[in-house]
Amino acid sequence: DTMSLHTKDAYRIFTGRGADGAGKLPPIPGGRRFAAVLKSIWHLSANDNPYADWVLVDIGERISEIGGSLQRETQRGEDRLRALKQRGLNFSVLQSRVPQQVELGFRSPYGYAVADLVVRYDYCNRVIKTLVRKDLLPDHEGRRLIFSYTRRLRGMFEKPVRFERW
């Protein structure tokens, strides 16, 4: 199982950032770490831990909400590109010549849900960047949209990592 990521933003969201040796920069949990934490919480839930159940329900709702939001934003961008195609301009969505292939080997369904969310984020980024490069969306608006989704995903990834310490 693999996933193809075309943007650096999506790859960084998935991999996160480890703690630096000097301790100046804090670690940033990525999708891979988030999926591992969810797997351990999933095992706690199987042992009737009510807090683990609560975390999984909350995260499931957040994954759904962010995924739906990404889907709606992507759809808006694709609609704009389709409208141009009807007028005679045919633009394709940006993609990398050499997309990053990431091996997936999750042992829980939550890991694959995270991979799906990261791929949606990647495609949404590509659509937004296409709109910016074709002068259909102002640069500052495109950056603002990408940053808002990056922030939402990182915020979601950090929450269960804090629970792991307990």
Side-chain angles (χ1 to χ4, degrees):
D1 298 335
T2 63
M3 75 174 164
S4 297
L5 298 175
H6 293 264
T7 63
K8 287 181 183 178
D9 297 325
Y11 184 72
R12 288 177 185 149
I13 278 286
F14 186 71
T15 58
R17 180 181 72 201
D20 68 334
K24 294 179 183 177
L25 296 173
I28 298 175
R32 184 176 283 145
R33 174 102 168 103
F34 177 67
V37 169
L38 287 180
K39 183 186 86 166
S40 65
I41 293 172
W42 186 47
H43 287 296
L44 289 172
S45 177
N47 293 327
D48 296 327
N49 183 320
Y51 297 109
D53 293 340
W54 173 76
V55 170
L56 291 178
V57 167
D58 180 52
I59 293 300
E61 289 172 355
R62 292 179 81 181
I63 286 173
S64 244
E65 189 268 325
I66 293 172
S69 182
L70 284 166
Q71 186 67 35
R72 287 187 297 277
E73 190 64 47
T74 302
Q75 190 64 47
R76 271 196 296 271
E78 287 178 330
D79 289 346
R80 291 182 78 177
L81 293 173
R82 248 189 310 281
L84 289 172
K85 187 174 185 175
Q86 289 177 345
R87 286 188 250 157
L89 288 173
N90 191 12
F91 295 136
S92 60
V93 176
L94 295 175
Q95 61 183 12
S96 174
R97 281 180 288 204
V98 185
Q100 191 74 25
Q101 295 294 324
V102 180
E103 294 275 333
L104 304 176
F106 299 115
R107 295 184 183 158
S108 79
Y110 293 100
Y112 292 100
V114 169
D116 179 55
L117 192 62
V118 170
V119 168
R120 286 182 190 211
Y121 170 75
D122 181 58
Y123 189 68
C124 184
N125 266 355
R126 291 168 47 206
V127 168
I128 290 170
K129 288 178 180 185
T130 299
L131 294 174
V132 169
R133 289 199 180 166
K134 305 305 180 195
D135 199 32
L136 300 170
L137 186 69
D139 187 43
H140 66 86
E141 182 68 20
R143 278 187 272 122
R144 186 193 62 77
L145 280 169
I146 290 170
F147 179 73
S148 72
Y149 285 112
T150 302
R151 189 172 180 192
R152 288 171 69 186
L153 285 169
R154 289 215 190 271
M156 182 180 65
F157 290 172
E158 287 177 5
K159 189 173 183 178
V161 171
R162 283 183 273 151
F163 288 116
E164 186 185 38
R165 294 184 200 132
W166 297 345

